[in-house]
Amino acid sequence: MNVVVCTKYVPNPQGTPTLGPDNLLVRSDVEGALDPGDEYGLELALQLVERHGGEITAISMGPDEALAGVQRALAMGAHRGVLITDPALRGADALVTARVLAAAVQRQPAELVIAGVESTDGYTGTVPVTVAALLGYASVTAVRALELEGDALRVERQTEGGYDVFACPTPALVTVTAGATEPRYPSLKGIMQAKQKPLERLTAADLGLTAEDLRSTQTVVEVVDAAAKGGGEIVQGDAAVARIVELLAEAKVI
Amino acid sequence: MGAAWVYAEMVGGHVHESAAELLTIARSLGAEVAAIALGPGATDAAAELGAHGAATVYASDDEVFSGFAGGPQTFAVAGLIEEHRPSIVLFPGTYEGRDVAGRLQARTGSTLMANAIDVVGTDRARTEIFGGMKVVDVQLAGPEPHLVLVRPRSVTPARTDGTAQVVAVPAEIPEAERGARLLERHEEVASGPKLEEAKVVVSGGRGLGGPEAFAMLDALAEAIGGAAVGASRAAVDAGWVPYSYQIGQTGKTVKPEVYIAAGISGALQHIVGMKGAKRIVAINKDADAPILKMADLGVVGDVFQVIPALTEEIRRRTSS
Ligand SMILES: Cc1cc2nc3c(=O)[nH]c(=O)nc-3n(C[C@H](O)[C@H](O)[C@H](O)COP(=O)(O)OP(=O)(O)OC[C@H]3O[C@@H](n4cnc5c(N)ncnc54)[C@H](O)[C@@H]3O)c2cc1C
Ligand SMILES: Nc1ncnc2c1ncn2[C@@H]1O[C@H](COP(=O)(O)O)[C@@H](O)[C@H]1O
């Protein structure tokens, strides 16, 4: 089974995010990484092709720096990479991003597309299902386990109070939750081999997308600082327990 | 201006609490307000939806709407939109809300704004970023209806005591539109008060070191009485407690009288889920942990000493 994995390159999740003068998230000159949230899906894809055969294509839309993210996916074991970079895509909203990814998926036959539940920096959590609907694929989100059964997938979806099991026809798109599995570290051999793997660089025009397709429909018009909450009281040692008890009593909960 | 619609999610035969919140926002827009409720219990839910301001409820009790992963809902909502042309549709920021709104966007080609905390006009929604440090207003353009996903518990629902007219929604969903089919449901039986309703929430993070330490939090919650136990994503991802415990961006939003964070660093994604608490207590052994900077009472200390001592002290007080 051939699998496409969506891999986003995001500003370092441990860093402090900032907004530029244009009210867009500053992405250049910021240390970045493959979104850790995408590694879980990639790991499930690797396990799936190890059991059933097939190839994995890692696709990403992002600036030149995002090459490092695709390379990490290749080092983990993806077979080929596709990076879509285009100045027209700066500040792309969820629908534009979905159009780009859907067009990129269509370039190779795949029975399954895997993405993260939500990206670390954008966290709309809607891009993947929009991709699925644009392609006419079935979709299941927040998946924690999946297995191929004949032509269909059996997937476990995380819910508020437990999990649901779905039978999902292929071609399908699933989003994989963090914590679904333990992503592997790229081996030294993997890192060496990654350099030889096919990696395609595309623009929006290469995907047949027009200026109309790329028009974003959301503009930030105002940014204000939320009322800053002043730091409270800090205690340590023996006084701590008594102060917590006092606070609970003030709140009338004990 | 066209109508403002609300997607009223049905869960286990009941309408999700987010519907009343979304209706409260929809009413503030000054448009005609309607709700869509799909799945078993929908018709009965119309009274509740009407009491929160829906003049019309498009409803179907058909099981097709609870047996698939969002495909039938998307098809039905798309049909209603085509027929009635609302200006805006509000969805809850739940998994189902995101699935239906996300798939719908591919059909309508309209804008979809996620993580909103309020809607100020049919073309303007509000969100917060960086853990709530900045409030951002976003202008929505493109074809109507604009689609907005609103974070649960962003506003306090208000009743109008109105009644809604129920309009039946056809439930003939073409095979190709149905998508993934539900085979089994597994629910953990939750004990104790619900996280969202508890007066006190005691939450544990990676600093607890393992699942055993959560017993310590259970004991504290029990000593306080009426308290619920929650967790950070780090503790959930590690498998120490189930996902239903998770508080934050991808988990629950809680607004208790007191929130006690034990061994939690205070990542932005955790803070968005608990900053609405009236009083925040944080226990962390690292004096530089971000959570201590936003707590009303920050305790620099070891959870393994503070929590048992606190539990003991509360027990002593309440038994005397
Ligand atoms: C898209 C996305 C969504 C996310 N959604 C959520 C979400 O919904 N909820 C959420 O919580 N997180 C979420 N996260 C993860 C978040 O970024 C943090 O990684 C997570 O909250 C960290 O959990 P933690 O504070 O328990 O662990 P850590 O950050 O590792 O902190 C552990 C803390 O425990 C302290 N400690 C250690 N030992 C002790 C001790 N003995 N006594 C006292 N203190 C001790 C340490 O000093 C440290 O401050 C999300 C991340 C992303 C990218
Ligand atoms: N620019 C992108 N390139 C590749 N994948 C993406 C991109 N944006 C979103 N995705 C995928 O969609 C998931 C959800 O993203 P989002 O809707 O932004 O929360 C991510 O975890 C990725 O798998």
Side-chain angles (χ1 to χ4, degrees), chain B residues 2 14 28-29 69 95-96 108 114 129 168 183 228 232 239 254 265 300 317:
Chain B
H14 301 280
S28 74
L29 300 175
Y95 283 149
E96 178 173 325
T108 58
I129 56 168
L183 299 177
S232 73
V254 296
S265 63
V300 182
R317 251 181 83 108

Side-chain angles (χ1 to χ4, degrees), chain A residues 2-248:
Chain A
N2 291 322
V3 186
V4 171
V5 181
C6 299
T7 50
K8 190 176 185 185
Y9 183 80
V10 298
N12 181 358
Q14 256 71 54
T16 312
T18 49
L19 290 184
D22 54 0
N23 282 331
L24 295 177
L25 197 64
V26 174
R27 287 177 195 275
S28 51
D29 284 335
V30 173
E31 202 193 323
L34 171 61
D35 194 331
D38 285 334
E39 292 196 359
Y40 303 97
L42 179 54
E43 177 61 40
L44 286 193
L46 289 164
Q47 292 170 14
L48 209 59
V49 301
E50 279 162 10
R51 285 197 300 273
H52 301 285
E55 291 209 329
I56 299 172
T57 306
I59 62 171
S60 186
M61 176 190 109
D64 289 326
E65 290 88 343
L67 206 54
V70 182
Q71 263 149 359
R72 175 155 177 109
L74 295 175
M76 282 175 72
H79 299 83
R80 61 187 73 248
V82 177
L83 174 62
I84 304 105
T85 306
D86 201 311
L89 292 171
R90 212 176 100 74
D93 64 15
L95 181 55
V96 171
T97 305
R99 284 185 180 129
V100 169
L101 295 178
V105 168
Q106 270 179 318
R107 290 167 48 93
Q108 59 272 302
E111 289 84 54
L112 178 62
V113 180
I114 296 185
V117 170
E118 56 184 354
S119 61
T120 296
D121 58 343
Y123 56 91
T124 70
T126 61
V127 166
V129 283
T130 308
V131 171
L134 287 170
L135 294 168
Y137 290 8
S139 58
V140 183
T141 51
V143 167
R144 58 174 213 182
L146 77 165
E147 191 40 81
L148 188 62
E149 282 183 353
D151 281 343
L153 293 162
R154 183 185 163 89
V155 302
E156 283 181 23
R157 165 191 230 211
Q158 179 173 279
T159 60
E160 286 261 310
Y163 68 97
D164 288 346
V165 180
F166 283 91
C168 186
T170 55
L173 176 144
V174 301
T175 70
V176 173
T177 57
T181 179
E182 193 58 52
R184 66 193 65 185
Y185 274 106
S187 63
L188 195 59
K189 191 165 147 232
I191 295 169
M192 298 308 294
Q193 282 174 346
K195 296 185 176 127
Q196 264 77 59
K197 289 179 178 172
L199 202 166
E200 227 179 336
R201 302 282 316 255
L202 302 173
T203 64
D206 293 336
L207 292 171
L209 296 168
T210 64
E212 189 54 36
D213 295 328
L214 305 184
R215 185 162 305 144
S216 279
T217 48
Q218 292 179 20
T219 328
V220 172
V221 284
E222 199 175 322
V223 181
V224 293
D225 289 322
K229 197 166 172 296
E233 176 190 349
I234 300 284
V235 289
Q236 25 190 324
D238 295 339
V241 167
R243 277 298 295 127
I244 303 175
V245 171
E246 268 172 43
L247 182 141
L248 292 170

